[in-house]
Each structure stands twice: as C-alpha cells, then as structure tokens.
Amino acid sequence: MGDDWHQPLWHIRASELTGDTGQTSGMTRREAVSARTVGSQKVWMGQTHVASRTSSGDHHHGDSETAIHVVKGNPVFVFAQDGEEVRLATEPGEYVFVPPFTPHREENPADDEAVVVIARSSQEAIVVNLPGLA
C-alpha cells in the first residue's frame, strides 16, 4: 500500500546510530532519526554522550527547538541570562528545553558518562559552534 495512511515504520537499532552528524568538542552526537536516515521531514532525533569530567564547547542549534531527555548521569546545562551563567543540574528522567538560537553547553562533572536523548524540530542536526555563551 502506497498511500499516506499506510507508510512503513522504521526500526533503528542502537548499533545503527551514526556519528556522521554535526559535532561539538567534548561530546559525541549519534544520529538516529533524520532526513538522511529515515526520510523524516520535521524531526531529528538522536543521542549525546558526554564523557566523565568533560565540558562541551559552547554552541546553539540555529532555528531548531531542542528537547532533551536525561537517560544516564547528571549532566549540567549552562546558558547565559542577563550576563550571568545559569547552570541547570539534571537527573535521569528529567527534561530540558533549549529555544532556537540559544547558546549553551553541556557539562558532566561526574565520574560516569552522561547520556541524553535529543529531539529537534528540524530533520537535520543544526550545530553552530561558538567561542562563548555571550
């Protein structure tokens, strides 16, 4: 059946995630759902891994909204507000929303790797690396 109501589902195995996507120093992004991998038109989804005692570079995701679900570890999300750094300490099961064009970085102060699942409102992983949060 080739109609819009009977499209096939896609199954992306963990072993099929690819690191061939936008990257930022200090973290590894792994792409699962995108225009390139499954032909999605409105969403990008994948994972980010931040090694123990590591901080990512400052970056933003262009005009994409980004939703983050903390799976493992206690990553800290850092952004600037009124000229000051704000730090959001998270735990597994929690979510973070990053508005479009908002500079931020991820930090992992713990001894274990942090893993988050990311969904974006575009079909590609827009990554703009920055020299700072300001």
Side-chain angles (χ1 to χ4, degrees), residues 1 3 10 18 21 27 29-30 48 53 66 69 76 82-83 93 106 109-110 127:
M1 299 183 133
D3 63 67
W10 290 78
T18 174
T21 186
M27 63 185 351
R29 288 188 189 89
R30 298 176 66 208
T48 298
R53 307 238 177 252
T66 302
H69 175 69
V76 176
D82 300 324
E106 288 83 26
V127 177

Side-chain angles (χ1 to χ4, degrees), residues 51-74:
S52 140
R53 307 238 177 252
T54 302
S55 177
S56 77
D58 299 325
H59 61 281
H60 71 72
H61 302 291
D63 63 355
S64 290
E65 293 181 331
T66 302
I68 300 168
H69 175 69
V70 180
V71 175
K72 177 183 173 191
N74 298 97

Side-chain angles (χ1 to χ4, degrees), residues 41-110:
Q41 297 178 21
K42 298 179 182 177
V43 68
W44 183 97
M45 193 169 191
Q47 295 178 352
T48 298
H49 296 246
V50 181
S52 140
R53 307 238 177 252
T54 302
S55 177
S56 77
D58 299 325
H59 61 281
H60 71 72
H61 302 291
D63 63 355
S64 290
E65 293 181 331
T66 302
I68 300 168
H69 175 69
V70 180
V71 175
K72 177 183 173 191
N74 298 97
V76 176
F77 297 85
V78 184
F79 65 100
Q81 186 174 33
D82 300 324
E84 301 289 328
E85 282 192 3
V86 177
R87 303 172 63 76
L88 303 176
T90 64
E91 298 180 1
E94 295 182 342
Y95 293 81
V96 174
F97 174 72
V98 181
F101 298 104
T102 301
H104 63 283
R105 73 174 168 266
E106 288 83 26
E107 296 179 355
N108 181 7

Side-chain angles (χ1 to χ4, degrees), residues 106-120:
E106 288 83 26
E107 296 179 355
N108 181 7
D111 290 330
D112 295 322
E113 177 183 60
V115 179
V116 301
V117 171
I118 299 172
R120 294 210 181 97

